[in-house]
Amino acid sequence: MADTVRVLNPLSEEWDWQRSAACRGMDSSYFFCPPHERGPARDHRVVDAKLICRECPVIADCLAHALRVRESYGIWGGHTEVERERLLGITDLRRPGQLRTAGDHRTVPPDRTP
């Protein structure tokens, strides 16, 4: 059995982009669904979070991180869980082995751009 060498980057390099994030220091409830939040309340929160993301200088880094580690909850890089599932071609971030099928039509909250 051959030895494999895994080079690890310092943790700070993996997360350094977050220092410039528009959401830094904000209450996480803007980006993560509170318990029992549904319907219009959820849609409004998602839209508001995406407006913050739109102005973020590290939005691409944030989305890349969320896709790489398969963040299963919240708004990351201006994308909801369902939007990230679609980008990855899966049906559930919590069960990544399930691929999306042609008949899967999960809805994405509307984007109300001002």
Side-chain angles (χ1 to χ4, degrees):
M1 181 184 254
D3 290 334
T4 56
V5 176
R6 186 171 166 204
V7 178
L8 298 174
N9 292 330
L11 193 54
S12 63
E13 288 180 20
E14 294 290 325
W15 294 92
D16 201 37
W17 58 268
Q18 289 186 353
R19 293 180 190 197
S20 301
C23 63
R24 183 170 171 87
M26 293 183 72
D27 186 330
S28 63
S29 66
Y30 285 102
F31 303 93
F32 295 91
C33 182
H36 311 295
E37 180 187 60
R38 303 286 184 272
R42 181 183 192 286
D43 294 344
H44 289 287
R45 183 188 51 76
V46 167
V47 169
D48 290 345
K50 286 183 170 192
L51 288 173
I52 294 165
C53 292
R54 186 187 305 167
E55 302 299 320
C56 185
V58 295
I59 189 171
D61 296 306
C62 183
L63 179 58
H65 161 78
L67 295 174
R68 184 176 58 256
V69 302
R70 307 250 173 141
E71 290 287 355
S72 27
Y73 299 99
I75 307 296
W76 289 84
H79 290 73
T80 65
E81 299 92 335
V82 173
E83 292 166 338
R84 292 193 309 276
E85 288 167 353
R86 288 194 175 143
L87 289 173
L88 291 168
I90 60 176
T91 58
D92 192 335
L93 283 163
R94 290 168 292 283
R95 293 186 299 246
Q98 295 181 337
L99 299 177
R100 183 170 295 283
T101 61
D104 187 1
H105 300 293
R106 292 177 59 190
T107 60
V108 176
D111 184 11
R112 295 177 305 151
T113 46

